[in-house]
Amino acid sequence: MAEAYIVQAVRTAGGRRKGALADWHPADLGGEVLNAVVDRSGIDPASVEDVILGCVTQAGEQGFAFARNAVLSSRLPISVPAVTVDRQCGSSQQCVQFAAQAVMSGTQDVVIAAGAESMTRVPMFTNISYHEREGVGVGPFSDRIKQRFGVENFSQFQGAEMLAAKYGFDRDTLDRFALESHRRAAAATDAGVFREQIVPLAVAGGIHDKDEGIRYDATLESIGSVKLLTEGGVISAANASQICDGASAALVVSERALKDHGLTPLARIVNLTVTAGDPIIMLEEPIGATRKALARAGMSIDDIDLYEVNEAFAPVPLAWTKALGADPSKLNVTGGAIALGHPLGATGTKLMTTLIHNLRARGGRYGLQAVCEGGGIANVTIVEAL
């Protein structure tokens, strides 16, 4: 089978809600990371055959062929097509998988997988709430869906509570995990670990090149003081992912493109997996998806040197680690979305960027990325650092 390689992978530093990136139009955020992967690889921009860009809330400034608008905002020639993908929180991870499939099939040789989301300028769920406010339609879940599953709505917040209860995690356990995410992210930032992967952006007052959501002074007490989302529950805003503005991108190419353009790969894609399961608990699916990915790759969890499992809510990576018998010291080693933010459609390529750079910096070989997604879907991607 033909191989697919990642030649460059970049991300912006995360911006907090109404923070440093609030003045950046999301199409321009996308345009900047497209420019960066092309510039840093040295490839002719006209060689890019497609841009596949993830975005969850496709409304307002993120509506109307958003991926194409990111291309038009970039320095790529107007001959480069683009398409927008919504696989919820795994949108841009799915973009990597689509790009790799295009390359591995032989239909294309140079594809950019990317994601962009401004959760400040296009708040989460506004593509639904505006219709509800105007009385247009009945929402995304038809009566037939509600009757089939016996629910009025599918809630990720309820799913997180269910996951914590199923795997026996109390609030203290979740809060301690959240604190460790901040500590790891702070240590990595102080050590300059993210410097190579971040695309600096001009903002009011200077340059934005450090993740804005890290709480350097976080303590177990401060995290524990945050109000619970549900009375009697265990999930709070402090042990869940942060609202975040940002963008990320990866340049995916064929072996022929490596030779034709004189490119040096950072990583080889080993396995592409997507699965779906229970839409009510929703967030448990990365466990089954990982088992399937490892089986298809002929690997065990012990063969993997680093894992990036999205910290949508603290129970997700904790349940994943417990169910798979994974080594916690290999998990989200430079912090995760609790500290660094979760810019929805941009998170997939953001995590891939961090995973590849961390593998190479630490001399690791194999990395695995898993993301839970709305509707009970999960993407898992395994890569080999080169």
Side-chain angles (χ1 to χ4, degrees), residues 39 102 107 331:
D39 291 347
T107 56
L331 173 69

Side-chain angles (χ1 to χ4, degrees), residues 134-356:
E134 297 299 321
V136 178
V138 297
F141 308 118
S142 69
D143 288 341
R144 185 162 68 183
I145 296 171
K146 294 175 184 178
Q147 290 166 9
R148 178 182 179 185
F149 292 98
V151 296
E152 281 298 309
N153 193 19
F154 295 95
S155 168
Q156 60 181 327
F157 305 104
Q158 179 185 358
E161 292 285 357
M162 293 172 67
L163 192 65
K166 180 173 180 176
Y167 287 88
F169 300 130
D170 59 16
R171 182 178 183 178
D172 182 68
T173 300
L174 304 186
D175 287 351
R176 288 181 185 278
F177 181 86
L179 178 60
E180 183 63 16
S181 183
H182 284 285
R183 286 177 173 170
R184 291 184 179 191
T189 301
D190 288 344
V193 169
F194 298 130
R195 191 175 299 121
E196 185 179 356
Q197 61 190 258
I198 286 178
V199 179
L201 298 177
V203 296
I207 298 295
H208 179 62
D209 60 1
K210 291 185 178 180
D211 295 287
E212 199 174 16
I214 304 169
R215 294 183 173 88
Y216 291 85
D217 59 350
T219 63
L220 193 59
E221 291 71 27
S222 65
I223 291 173
S225 69
V226 176
K227 183 181 178 181
L228 293 170
L229 299 182
T230 303
E231 186 176 352
V234 293
I235 304 296
S236 74
N239 59 38
S241 56
Q242 290 188 39
I243 289 173
C244 183
D245 304 332
S248 54
L251 181 60
V252 181
V253 306
S254 67
E255 189 166 3
R256 179 168 62 183
L258 291 178
K259 297 173 182 176
D260 289 349
H261 300 282
L263 303 170
T264 301
L266 300 179
R268 179 182 68 91
I269 294 175
V270 175
N271 177 267
L272 311 168
T273 295
V274 60
T275 67
D278 186 348
I280 298 176
I281 195 169
M282 193 182 302
L283 309 176
E284 189 177 22
E285 191 58 22
I287 295 168
T290 298
R291 288 182 174 134
K292 183 175 182 179
L294 290 170
R296 292 187 67 175
M299 304 175 75
S300 75
I301 194 67
D302 294 332
D303 294 322
I304 306 298
D305 296 298
L306 292 177
Y307 334 119
E308 283 288 334
V309 180
N310 191 37
E311 296 174 2
F313 300 89
V316 176
L318 283 170
W320 182 91
T321 304
K322 183 176 183 178
L324 293 163
D327 182 350
S329 70
K330 299 179 179 180
L331 173 69
N332 302 351
V333 293
T334 50
I338 290 172
L340 299 169
H342 176 19
L344 299 185
T347 290
T349 36
K350 176 179 184 286
L351 295 185
M352 182 58 68
T353 296
T354 297
L355 177 60
I356 291 172

